[in-house]
Amino acid sequence: MPFTKQINKDFYIKDNRIYLSDEYFNKNKKYFKKITGSRFASILNLNQFTSPVKAWCTIVNIYKDEMDPTLAKVGTIIEPKIREYVTKVTNIKFKDYNPSEVNWNVFNDEIFGGIPDGEPIDEDGKFAYDKGFPMVEIKTSSEDKLAYEKINGVFRIKKDENGWPIVKEPGEKKKSWFVNGQLKVSNEYCFQLLLYLYLRKVNEGMFAVAFLKPEDYVYPEKFDAAKHNIHFAKLNIDDFDNLQNIIEYARKWYKLYVMDKHYSMPLEENDKKWLSEELGINVI
């Protein structure tokens, strides 16, 4: 079960909120997580799978959002291949990070943190943003809509007897990424990259998106980026006039619900359903 702390001991539900016990809050607040790119989108309620309440539970360390091990393996093996391909086609070298070596954060901010997928560097290894080179965000998506099943509270790709992903609708997942033939990156992913651009105080970002075939999930080590038609989309922070206001909203949210108070924001109906399923109780 992804909830890692004990209900009615470390936390409890009351008056349509989740409360942390005084003892838990005082002992653990120094270990609370920061707002990363993915959590930023969740706090803004742009993530269809993670509500602001669920993000709060992750930040205060009472819940661990686990990833499908197949997707985790695919990301670990394929994303570096895509970054190498981006370097080849743009002639820009990108710095990547070992998350454990940088403690999952490369930014100096009290509230926001995270790790970009690639930061442009020159031949001396110094950042090359002053040359107009972009920060890179790598995304992988299935070409097809795949079948999923929930195991121990975690959604995982459903596989056939030979270990291959079960395809529900061929080609449909890739289609959802395009509007009038043009790649259209979702607001959820845009705000992930926008946060990192803001923290670096730079303007230019770029998405590199690969659409995976079933065999890529089975044999990710055989993935060849040059044969997958990697799609690119630019992102400029100056195109978002209200980004500063959105950043301040998230900063105030964090100060209120993570640093100052012992409780979450009010529960929505989807939060109650999620909590009921995860905790095995009736949350109304």
Side-chain angles (χ1 to χ4, degrees), residues 77-92:
I77 295 174
I78 290 181
E79 286 191 9
K81 293 174 179 282
I82 298 173
R83 186 165 40 246
E84 290 174 5
Y85 177 79
V86 175
T87 291
K88 183 177 180 180
V89 299
T90 64
N91 201 29
I92 302 170

Side-chain angles (χ1 to χ4, degrees), residues 146-159:
L146 303 178
Y148 284 80
E149 58 185 337
K150 199 170 187 179
I151 301 176
N152 297 326
V154 180
F155 280 103
R156 300 191 178 190
I157 294 175
K158 196 171 185 178
K159 301 178 180 179

Side-chain angles (χ1 to χ4, degrees), residues 67-76 140 146 148 155 157 212 217:
M67 178 179 281
D68 180 341
T70 298
L71 295 177
K73 181 180 179 181
V74 164
T76 299
T140 57
L146 303 178
Y148 284 80
F155 280 103
I157 294 175
L212 308 183
Y217 293 95

Side-chain angles (χ1 to χ4, degrees), residues 68-258:
D68 180 341
T70 298
L71 295 177
K73 181 180 179 181
V74 164
T76 299
I77 295 174
I78 290 181
E79 286 191 9
K81 293 174 179 282
I82 298 173
R83 186 165 40 246
E84 290 174 5
Y85 177 79
V86 175
T87 291
K88 183 177 180 180
V89 299
T90 64
N91 201 29
I92 302 170
K93 187 175 181 180
F94 293 93
K95 179 178 178 61
D96 63 303
Y97 300 91
N98 182 322
S100 61
E101 290 181 357
V102 297
N103 197 26
W104 285 266
N105 178 42
V106 297
F107 300 108
N108 183 23
D109 190 276
E110 180 185 22
I111 289 173
F112 298 105
I115 304 174
D117 289 333
E119 298 200 74
I121 53 176
D122 60 23
E123 49 279 358
D124 296 322
K126 296 180 180 180
F127 288 144
Y129 288 115
D130 59 339
K131 297 181 180 180
F133 294 160
M135 179 185 290
V136 171
E137 180 73 15
I138 298 169
K139 294 298 179 187
T140 57
S141 173
S142 173
E143 283 194 358
D144 314 306
K145 283 191 176 180
L146 303 178
Y148 284 80
E149 58 185 337
K150 199 170 187 179
I151 301 176
N152 297 326
V154 180
F155 280 103
R156 300 191 178 190
I157 294 175
K158 196 171 185 178
K159 301 178 180 179
D160 63 18
E161 62 276 9
N162 296 314
W164 282 63
I166 295 175
V167 175
K168 291 173 59 179
E169 300 178 55
E172 289 302 310
K173 186 66 181 293
K174 183 176 180 179
K175 286 181 182 178
S176 69
W177 281 75
F178 290 82
V179 177
N180 297 325
Q182 297 294 318
L183 182 68
K184 178 68 174 177
V185 179
S186 69
N187 284 337
E188 173 190 350
Y189 294 149
C190 283
F191 277 103
Q192 289 183 23
L193 181 51
L194 284 168
L195 176 64
Y196 295 154
L197 292 174
Y198 172 85
L199 292 173
R200 271 295 179 241
K201 296 181 173 58
V202 297
N203 292 329
E204 300 295 330
M206 180 176 70
F207 288 97
V209 184
F211 295 96
L212 308 183
K213 303 176 185 295
E215 56 264 32
D216 296 322
Y217 293 95
V218 183
Y219 305 111
E221 64 280 355
K222 296 182 179 181
F223 178 88
D224 185 345
K227 296 180 179 179
H228 272 71
N229 191 20
I230 307 300
H231 295 263
F232 296 92
K234 294 182 179 180
L235 184 74
N236 192 309
I237 198 171
D238 290 336
D239 293 336
F240 290 79
D241 296 333
N242 62 341
L243 180 60
Q244 183 64 48
N245 292 334
I246 295 172
I247 293 284
E248 288 308 310
Y249 167 83
R251 193 179 294 277
K252 289 177 181 178
W253 181 96
Y254 190 93
K255 287 181 177 179
L256 175 63
Y257 292 116
V258 178

